[in-house]
Amino acid sequence: IMISALITAAGSSARYGKNKMLEPVQGKPLLIRTLERFLACGEIEEIIVTARNSDKKTYEELTGTLDIVKIVTGGKQRIESLLNALNASSGDILITHDGARPLVTPGLIEELISWVKKTGAAMTAVNPTATVKLTDNQSMKIVGTLPRAKTWIAQTPQGYNRNILKQAMEKAVREKYFVPTDDSEIVARMTSHDIVVVPGDHSNIKVTHRSDIVIANELFEVYLNS
């Protein structure tokens, strides 16, 4: 069984203000820090990274010495980018991951892979630390409280058998279902396959805002020294 990682790094970084993938995390670009986590996982045989046209050459230069890394051009939508990466990959199992999550551990990636081998589709997620309320959208009155033990905040990595992810992404692109959500929701909506939750890690943050890069640097310093 060949396992490929599909790393999405073709976003506009609109909320960040500039390409966050090139921001330094303890002396290296964020993208490289993320790739290092997957390179440290022995089961990953191929890494496909999506890039905007304007960033492709920069990413190729950054990853030039990393033999198993290939850069492909992304699409206008995340789903299109992921499908481009999928079509450029060879893996029987595909692990999808946000390029902006540099703190994923190789151990978590390996745990996820073991569940994908057993079930065909699995994702990492964490229970919320705060209480989540449901409201009526019009009145904004509280109509319910979600129990924390059964409520999960989606993360990446996520993993799928190739045919499951391919079917879901191709159908989503055909139907132009470009709702900015996570891969598991697309797979659940576009196929009938169940998805298993693998408990993730609260430290596995996604760098979205400028303050997140400060947190990532602090966490990474602990990570490197542990």
Side-chain angles (χ1 to χ4, degrees):
I1 295 176
M2 181 175 179
I3 301 171
S4 302
L6 312 181
I7 310 294
T8 50
S12 63
S13 298
R15 286 171 291 184
Y16 195 88
K18 58 180 176 176
N19 188 354
K20 60 192 176 186
M21 295 298 161
L22 304 177
E23 290 288 89
V25 176
Q26 293 295 327
K28 292 184 182 180
L30 189 159
L31 177 61
I32 295 299
R33 287 301 190 193
T34 300
L35 293 179
E36 285 176 345
R37 308 279 69 79
F38 284 83
L39 292 165
C41 178
E43 291 194 78
I44 301 291
E45 298 176 65
E46 175 185 64
I47 302 174
I48 311 293
V49 179
T50 65
R52 290 184 298 175
N53 261 327
S54 56
D55 297 320
K56 193 166 185 280
K57 187 178 179 184
T58 302
Y59 288 6
E60 285 172 344
E61 289 170 356
L62 280 176
T63 61
T65 59
L66 308 176
D67 292 341
I68 68 169
V69 176
K70 180 181 179 182
I71 311 297
V72 299
T73 304
K76 289 184 179 179
Q77 306 287 341
R78 185 182 187 280
I79 294 169
E80 292 175 320
S81 293
L82 195 60
L83 186 57
N84 286 358
L86 185 155
N87 287 332
S89 72
S90 305
D92 306 295
I93 288 176
L94 304 174
I95 306 300
T96 66
H97 189 66
D98 301 315
R101 289 187 189 267
L103 286 145
V104 61
T105 64
L108 182 58
I109 299 168
E110 288 163 6
E111 176 73 5
L112 176 71
I113 289 169
S114 73
W115 278 99
V116 179
K117 286 177 178 177
K118 286 185 277 191
T119 66
M123 63 177 292
T124 56
V126 291
N127 293 120
T129 56
T131 301
V132 180
K133 299 289 185 180
L134 283 176
T135 63
D136 174 88
N137 280 347
Q138 290 183 325
S139 68
M140 291 305 289
K141 291 178 181 177
I142 293 170
V143 297
T145 300
L146 298 179
R148 290 188 201 178
K150 292 184 178 180
T151 305
W152 296 87
I153 298 170
Q155 294 187 323
T156 64
Q158 300 183 13
Y160 305 94
N161 283 348
R162 183 185 189 86
N163 62 323
I164 294 171
L165 188 63
K166 192 172 195 292
Q167 177 189 339
M169 293 298 157
E170 286 180 343
K171 189 175 180 186
V173 169
R174 275 199 311 273
E175 297 182 6
K176 293 184 166 49
Y177 185 75
F178 296 142
V179 178
T181 184
D182 76 304
D183 305 330
S184 67
E185 199 272 340
I186 301 294
V187 170
R189 177 178 283 264
M190 300 296 167
T191 76
S192 58
H193 207 285
D194 292 331
I195 301 159
V196 175
V197 168
V198 178
D201 184 347
H202 283 282
S203 295
N204 181 22
I205 65 167
K206 183 179 180 182
V207 174
T208 303
H209 303 285
R210 294 289 180 103
S211 56
D212 297 328
I213 203 76
V214 177
I215 297 167
N217 269 281
E218 291 295 319
L219 288 171
F220 221 96
E221 188 171 21
V222 175
Y223 189 95
L224 288 173
N225 293 329
S226 61

